[in-house]
């Protein structure tokens, strides 16, 4: 968990006192505020008195087992993530646990590293879901009176991308917004980077560069960017599947990429993060394949151009993906220009 986030609370339920202490200590050392319960009845009382970010419960307990406790939890709080743990796994129990909304089903013995990682993931997803609800970023909701969120396209450490449909034209688009769970101290920089990406893309008009269509701000002031919805897969995914490309495919893609970069650089923009993950292979209307350059989040815009963007990176700060950086980027030299993209 991030150090600046609110301390997470966990309820651990197990009739094995020794194991209960071990698991509680592991989460306490991680930074959780932990309550424990020796059985389902005690856990029910704890849930009625307090709210928790995650609940971890043994299944095989007397009086009230973990499945019955899960039903009680769901009746009281349908959103809190519940992780069930058992020493006697069965397919029937696992299916029932998932049906009732358990997010994980673990089999003893569970390593403490796995236990903490699963709890961390559950808390993060719970907080993202809660923040999304608070900001209206729920599938089916309308953003800015114009875009209906249809499905998730991706989630990274810094941003969320949704497939959305324009309420009036019916056009499918990609809507990108800063992730709700980032550190508060990082928000100004990430918001500025999102705006940087929108403004950089707005300067470029080329079929080999993802097109920015619109933008705006949420009610809390967080900006969002609307881009064309691309159906395809990344070059990284293609290489992972096939291992390598033929020489003809490589030359064709390289020529298309160079053509796109020429337009990008002519607009005074340096991408600074060219790599297979940021190249999408899509199909044109005639069925032919085309390379699309995406993700201008760390792009640099020439300060001599008409529209200046604020400087977001300091001298000596490493920006980009090391495996795909030019030497001047690796050395964090100032004034990295278009030659870094060509490299």
């Amino acid at each position: 968990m991030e150090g600046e986030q609110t301390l997470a609370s966990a309820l651990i339920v197990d009739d094995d006192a020794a194991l209960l202490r071990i698991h509680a200590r592991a989460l306490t050392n991680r930074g959780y505020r932990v309550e424990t319960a020796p059985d389902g009845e005690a856990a029910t009382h704890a849930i009625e008195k307090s709210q928790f970010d995650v609940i971890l419960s043994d299944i095989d307990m007397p009086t009230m087992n973990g499945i019955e406790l899960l039903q009680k939890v769901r009746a009281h709080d349908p959103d809190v993530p519940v992780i069930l743990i058992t020493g006697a796994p069965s397919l029937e129990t696992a299916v029932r646990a998932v049906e009732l909304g358990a997010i994980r089903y673990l089999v003893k013995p569970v390593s403490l590293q796995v236990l903490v990682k699963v709890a961390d993931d559950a808390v993060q997803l719970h907080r993202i879901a809660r923040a999304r609800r608070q900001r209206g970023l729920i599938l089916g909701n309308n953003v800015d009176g114009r875009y209906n969120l249809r499905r998730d396209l991706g989630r990274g450490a810094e941003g969320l991308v949704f497939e959305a449909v324009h309420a009036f034209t019916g056009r499918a688009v990609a809507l990108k917004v800063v992730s709700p769970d980032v550190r508060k101290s990082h928000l100004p920089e990430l918001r500025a980077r999102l705006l940087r990406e929108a403004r950089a893309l707005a300067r470029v008009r080329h079929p080999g560069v993802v097109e920015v269509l619109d933008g705006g701000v949420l009610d809390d002031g967080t900006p969002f960017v609307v881009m064309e919805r691309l159906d395809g897969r990344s070059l990284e995914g293609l290489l992972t599947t096939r291992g390598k490309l033929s020489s003809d495919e490589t030359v064709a893609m390289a020529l298309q990429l160079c053509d796109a970069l020429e337009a990008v650089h002519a607009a005074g923009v340096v991408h600074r993060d060219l790599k297979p993950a940021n190249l999408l292979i899509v199909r044109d209307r005639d069925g032919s394949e085309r390379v699309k350059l995406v993700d201008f989040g760390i792009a640099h815009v020439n300060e001599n151009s008409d529209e200046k963007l604020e400087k977001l990176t300091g001298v000596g700060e490493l920006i980009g993906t090391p495996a795909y950086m030019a030497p001047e980027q690796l050395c964090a030299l100032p004034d990295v220009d278009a030659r870094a993209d060509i490299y």
Side-chain angles (χ1 to χ4, degrees), residues 132 136-143 147-151 163:
R132 282 176 56 171
L137 297 175
I138 304 173
L139 299 186
N141 275 15
N142 183 280
V143 172
Y147 298 100
N148 298 319
L149 301 182
R150 191 154 69 179
R151 66 187 179 101
E163 181 184 81

Side-chain angles (χ1 to χ4, degrees), residues 277-337:
N278 287 337
L279 298 175
L280 292 187
I281 313 301
V282 300
R283 290 199 176 276
D284 281 338
R285 292 181 179 179
D286 62 3
S288 61
E289 288 190 335
R290 170 172 291 281
V291 176
K292 282 270 192 179
L293 181 56
V294 301
D295 198 345
F296 282 69
I298 62 171
H300 172 74
V301 176
N302 187 344
E303 293 182 358
N304 294 322
S305 59
D306 294 335
E307 181 185 356
K308 295 183 180 180
L309 294 184
E310 61 184 300
K311 187 174 180 62
L312 299 180
T313 57
V315 175
E317 184 177 354
L318 197 64
I319 294 296
T321 305
Y324 298 97
M325 282 184 180
E328 59 268 35
Q329 279 183 280
L330 283 169
C331 294
L333 297 178
D335 302 323
V336 171
D337 59 26

